[in-house]
Each structure stands twice: as structure tokens, then as C-alpha cells.
């Protein structure tokens, strides 16, 4: 949510910042802006919409300098207008800031600053920071930033520039900041993807740390001013991982990466009939598991709940992180709270993990982004190793999360003296090849997409372990194609959604040959009887289904518990191809952002 980047060195900063913004754009694309600092003045260019609009604007062409900051915005306070676009400057144009996060007490700070004579030009919460720095400046840029942020409540990653100084100052509280180390040049960003083109040597700022960054190096300090020695990390992915590699969109590329990403989450974790996880938590004493997540990750949690109950035999809840964090739920050291998040940054999931920790519960993360905020806060966890996910609609992270949850359930079962069911490991190992065979079916799914692209509403139905797949299929479609879609437990359909069904109304069923199969067939008949248009994802497309469905998408068979990992793939493809046929910007759906770092 909002991307920020800064550069100090000898290169043309405008180009470095624009390249970075393009790679950060998935975090927000309501507006973009850039500030180049020179001895004479801060030159700011901002525009509404995507980075391409900023790039083609007249002001940018005239800009040149070697130090600057830039931002791509997902609007929270104030509409996506040019005035509300970052960078924001103080009254005299001496300081400029870019900000990711939310300043909770901005209204009081703004009032206080207005009373002191400051003039505000935007409706954003962020602008107060520039004026606070101005207010505190008495010759030391660093001291002014320190004093300014000491008054700010909320979550933020901020980078500030000062006219005439070859220096940037970055501060972090909750929202991520990474410093990139180059040769006589330094980078700073909200996400390593923005700088991997230039350097793989990075330092992640910790919470409450401030960095002074010049072309020759960086100094990290606590808010008290005490110096902190930082570990230099290596970015684990390369530029090629965040490029489209010939695919039309990142979403399509990421769907097609799933044979590999599903393989990666298992790698080194299956040893004979053992499950090897270094989760750093003794699960033997756990009496209850609570899975917390948002969006697609929450759908993985719903599947995980069934794994934990069945295999680990421990009561399990799956809760929206935004609900969990404000529930009065008694928690204790006997609880294991699992935060599931692709980005590791989602504000509510982070808040839920922190709440669990403060109540003495054990916490682990199932996270894709290494070193992210949640991964730092939890006691231990499982990294997905799915590689960067750039498409705003999550795809490969979901299938990896489901596999990770399956491994976790088996791991807890083993810890408690149980055995891993014989077929579980061999079926896990076959998943990548089976996913590959589904991807070969793109032609059929494109044809179905062309049939549904004009629908105004679509129902997705499944039962048991595939009910969350119905939710995920519907979420994918509405996210990228803007067609209203609703996922429902097939058995509940008669209690409401069936009222929507009339001739030609599309209904997508997940009909896996498990203990619910006959009941799903009965539900299909009920839709058929009302002349609905039936699309079925089935692993046994035999005679029972013939004549009942308009389209049957066949997926390979696996054990029913792993079937969600295969069943979701055609639904991701259906959403993608439908949106693409409608000519929509699949990777940047309107109003959405990849990482939601606000509540
Ligand atoms: C946003 C994204 C979704 C994602 C959700 C949770 O809404 O657009 O694709 O599922 O956040 O993100 P997380 O990174 O915590 O999994």
C-alpha cells in the first residue's frame, strides 16, 4: 500500500526513481510523484493515475538531479488528486517527504501547525510530517526529522529530503523500509523489488529506527539517537523474477509458476514419512490453533482449519485478522496463533499477531516475503519461497499457503505421536506435475471465459474442503473482472442464492469425488432445473455429470484433502481470461492494492 523510493548517488535520479516506481506500482496506483533536490530548490512533479502518466508529463522531462524521492499512492486520506499526491513539502519548499502508512493523530497535529501559521495544500495525513520537520528545523535535518516523528502516532515508513543536502533520512514504524547499498550510491525503498535492479545488498530498518543515507553510506540509529549495527542481507530474488518473462500479465505468469512454487514450499520439508519444519515453537502443548489472515490468505486459512482439526486433532478457528484483533477472545500460552500473509505486511494480520503475542499465545507466520514485518514479530514460521508475487490478485501464494498449512497439520500430528497417512506424502509430491497438466487446458478455459464475460453476476458453489475454493474462485473473478461473484457452501444455496438463478445464470460448481460428491450432484440438478448455466470443475467427469453441465473442466485426481490446490487453478485462469477478454488492467485492478498496510 503506497510505494516509496529514494536515491542518492551520481546517476540521473529521475530515471532510477521512475524505474523503482514502476516496480512498486502494484502497491498503489492512484497517483505518482517525484521530488528532485538541488541546491536551489526542491523540484516536485506529481500526477494523478499511474506512473506512466507522471512519466509523460511535461515537468518531468526538464528535471535532472542526483538526489530525490518518489512515491506511488493508494489513497486513504483525501481523493486521488494532484494536490494529494506525494511528495509533500513544507511551507517554504525546503523539505519534502514520502510516506507509506497512516498517521492516526494527523488532525490534532494539523490543527496545532495551522495555529502556528503553517499553510496546508493537501487533505492528506502525510503532509503534517513535512511541516513538523520545518517547525523543528534549527540547522540539523536529522534532529528535525527525529523530533517530528516523535510526535506522530500510527504506522509509517517515511523518507525525507532537504533542499541542498546530499542526504536522505528514512524512518520506520511498522511500514517496511529497506536500504540498498551501492558503490558510492545508496537507495531506499518500501520494497526490495524497487531496487533489485541496482543492488542485492540491503539493510532492513527495524521498528523505531532512523537512517541517515548519503552516497557514501548509511547510519542507523534508534529514536534515542543510539547507533545500531545492522546486518547486511542479500535480496534472494533477481530482476528476472519480477519481470513478465513474455507473459502478457504478472497474474498469468504467476498462475503458470505454480508447479514450481508448490514444489518450492515442500522442498527440504518432506523426509521419508517425516515433516521437517523449523517453526521454533513446541506444538505439543498447544490446545487450540487460531489462523488469522485477510483476503485470499483467509481462504487458505479456512482450508487449513480443516487440516488442523482432521490431522492434528486440535480445535481450530480461522478468523479474519481485522475481526480477531478486536474480539474479546481469551488467549493463553496454550493457544497457537498462525498469521498467514503473502506480503507479511498486512496491517490487520500484523495487528492480530501482535495481539496474540501480547496475550501470551505462541505465534507463527506462514509468509512469503522474507524479513517482512510479520515474520519479524512471530516466534517462528514457515516461509513459502514462492518468489515475488506482483499481480495484485494473489494466485501462487494461495496454493503455497494451502500446502504449508497441510505440512503444519501433519507436523503437529507427528509431534503428538501420530503418523503421517501413507498417501499424503506421495500425493503432495505429485501436485506440481498435476498442476502442469491443468495449465495445458488454457484453451478450454478461454472459451468458457468468452461465454461468461458479459454476465453481471456468477455464483460459485462447493462443499467441505472445497467450499473455500468456491470463495476464492468468486473473489478472483470479482477482483480482476469486476463481475459480481459470490462463493457459497453448495448446501446453503437453497437458503438464498438460488433466488438469483434464472435462465442462463452462470453457476460454477466444484465437484470433487469425495464424500460430498453425490450431494453436489443433487445441487447441480437443482440449478439445472432452473435453467442455470452450469460450469463444473471435476476430477471424475464421468457419466454422472454428462448432460448436467454446460462445461466440464477436468482436473487430475488427488486425495480429497489436497483437491483445493488443483481445483483453484482453473478458477484463477477463468478469472484471468475473463478480465483479459474484457480488456481490463488485470495486474492493477481498480481500487485494490497488493499490500494493505492500513486497517
Ligand atoms: C490484498 C491483496 C490480496 C491479498 C490480501 C491479503 O487485499 O489484494 O490479494 O490476499 O491483501 O494480503 P497478504 O499479503 O496478507 O496475504
Amino acid at each position: 500500500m503506497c510505494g516509496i523510493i529514494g536515491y542518492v548517488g551520481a546517476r540521473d535520479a529521475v530515471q532510477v526513481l521512475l524505474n523503482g516506481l514502476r516496480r512498486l506500482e502494484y502497491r498503489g496506483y492512484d497517483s505518482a510523484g517525484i521530488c528532485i533536490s538541488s541546491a536551489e530548490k526542491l523540484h516536485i512533479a506529481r500526477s494523478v493515475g499511474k506512473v506512466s502518466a507522471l512519466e509523460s508529463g511535461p515537468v518531468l522531462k526538464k528535471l535532472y538531479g542526483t538526489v530525490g524521492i518518489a512515491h506511488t499512492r493508494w489513497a486513504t486520506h483525501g481523493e486521488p488528486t494532484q494536490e494529494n499526491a506525494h511528495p509533500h513539502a513544507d511551507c517554504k519548499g525546503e523539505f519534502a517527504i514520502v510516506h507509506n502508512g497512516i498517521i492516526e493523530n494527523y488532525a490534532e497535529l494539523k490543527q496545532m501547525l495551522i495555529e502556528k501559521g503553517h499553510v496546508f495544500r493537501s487533505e492528506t495525513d502525510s503532509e503534517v510530517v513535512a511541516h513538523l520537520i520545518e517547525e523543528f528545523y534549527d540547522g540539523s535535518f536529522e534532529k528535525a526529522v527525529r523530533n517530528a516523528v516523535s510526535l506522530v502516532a500510527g504506522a509509517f515508513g517515511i523518507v525525507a529530503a532537504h533542499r541542498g543536502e546530499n542526504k536522505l533520512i528514512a524512518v520506520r514504524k511498522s511500514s517496511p523500509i529497506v536500504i540498498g547499498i551501492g558503490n558510492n550510491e545508496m537507495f531506499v525503498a518500501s520494497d526490495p523489488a524497487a531496487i533489485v535492479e541496482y543492488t542485492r545488498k540491503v539493510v532492513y530498518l527495524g521498528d523505531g529506527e532512523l537512517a541517515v543515507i548519503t552516497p557514501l553510506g548509511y547510519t542507523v540509529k534508534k529514536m534515542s539517537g543510539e547507533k545500531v549495527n545492522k546486518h547486511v542481507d542479500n535480496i534472494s530474488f533477481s530482476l528476472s523474477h519480477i519481470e513478465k518473462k513474455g507473459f502478457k500479465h504478472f497474474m498469468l505468469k504467476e498462475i503458470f509458476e505454480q508447479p514450481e512454487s508448490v514444489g518450492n514450499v515442500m522442498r527440504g520439508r518432506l523426509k521419508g514419512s517425516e515433516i521437517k519444519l523449523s517453526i521454533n515453537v513446541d506444538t505439543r502443548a498447544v490446545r487450540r490453533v487460531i489462523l488469522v489472515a485477510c483476503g485470499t490468505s483467509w481462504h487458505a486459512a479456512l482450508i487449513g482449519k480443516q487440516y488442523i482439526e482432521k490431522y492434528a486433532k486440535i480445535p481450530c478457528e480461522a478468523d479474519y485478522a481485522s475481526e480477531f484483533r478486536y474480539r474479546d477472545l481469551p488467549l493463553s500460552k496454550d493457544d497457537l496463533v498462525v498469521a498467514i500473509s503473502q506480503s507479511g505486511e498486512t496491517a490487520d494480520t500484523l495487528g492480530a499477531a501482535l495481539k496474540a503475542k501480547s496475550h501470551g499465545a505462541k505465534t507463527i507466520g506462514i509468509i512469503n516475503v522474507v524479513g517482512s514485518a510479520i515474520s519479524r514479530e512471530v516466534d517462528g514460521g514457515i516461509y513459502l519461497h514462492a518468489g515475488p508475487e506482483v499481480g495484485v490478485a494473489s494466485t501462487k501464494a494461495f496454493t503455497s499457503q494451502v500446502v504449508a498449512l497441510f505440512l503444519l497439520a501433519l507436523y503437529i500430528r507427528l509431534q503428538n505421536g501420530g503418523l503421517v497417512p501413507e498417501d499424503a506424502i506421495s500425493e503432495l509430491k505429485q501436485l506440481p506435475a498435476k498442476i502442469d497438466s491443468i495449465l495445458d487446458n488454457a484453451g478450454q478455459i478461454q472459451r468458457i471465459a468468452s461465454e461468461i464475460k458479459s454476465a453481471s453476476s456468477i455464483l460459485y458453489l462447493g462443499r467441505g474442503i472445497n467450499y473455500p475454493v468456491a470463495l476464492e474462485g468468486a473473489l478472483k473473478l470479482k477482483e480482476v473482472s469486476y463481475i459480481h461473484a459470490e462463493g457459497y457452501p453448495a448446501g446453503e444455496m437453497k437458503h438464498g442464492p438460488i433466488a438469483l438463478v434464472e435462465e442462463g445464470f452462470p453457476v460454477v460448481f466444484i465437484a470433487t469425488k469425495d464424500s460430498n460428491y453425490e450431494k453436489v450432484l443433487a445441487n447441480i440438478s437443482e440449478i439445472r432445473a432452473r435453467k442455470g448455466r452450469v460450469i463444473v470443475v471435476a476430477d471424475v467427469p464421468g457419466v454422472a455429470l454428462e448432460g448436467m453441465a454446460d462445461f466440464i473442466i477436468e482436473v487430475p485426481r488427488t486425495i480429497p484433502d489436497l483437491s483445493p490446490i488443483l481445483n483453484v487453478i482453473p478458477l484463477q485462469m477463468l478469472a484471468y481470461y475473463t478480465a483479459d477478454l474484457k480488456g481490463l488492467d488485470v495486474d492493477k485492478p481498480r481500487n485494490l492494492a497488493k499490500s494493505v498496510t492500513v486497517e
Side-chain angles (χ1 to χ4, degrees), residues 251 255 258 294-297 299 389 391-399 401 460 468-487 567-579 584 586 589 592 594:
M251 182 179 176
I255 290 172
Q258 289 176 103
C294 300
T296 286
S297 300
H299 295 156
E389 193 181 65
V392 166
S394 183
T395 52
K396 64 176 177 175
F398 175 78
T399 42
Q401 287 164 343
Y460 284 70
V469 175
L471 294 179
E472 178 58 10
L475 177 65
K476 280 294 84 83
L477 188 81
K478 82 180 113 185
E479 278 180 313
V480 296
S481 78
Y482 313 148
I483 296 174
H484 170 256
E486 207 174 321
N567 289 335
V568 79
I569 308 275
L571 302 186
Q572 295 169 343
M573 294 164 83
L574 187 62
Y576 170 78
Y577 288 121
T578 306
L584 298 170
V586 183
L592 298 179
K594 183 77 187 151

Side-chain angles (χ1 to χ4, degrees), residues 226-237:
E226 186 191 333
K227 274 200 182 163
V228 185
N229 282 328
K230 299 295 290 183
H231 172 75
V232 176
D233 276 296
N234 264 310
I235 300 179
S236 57
F237 58 87

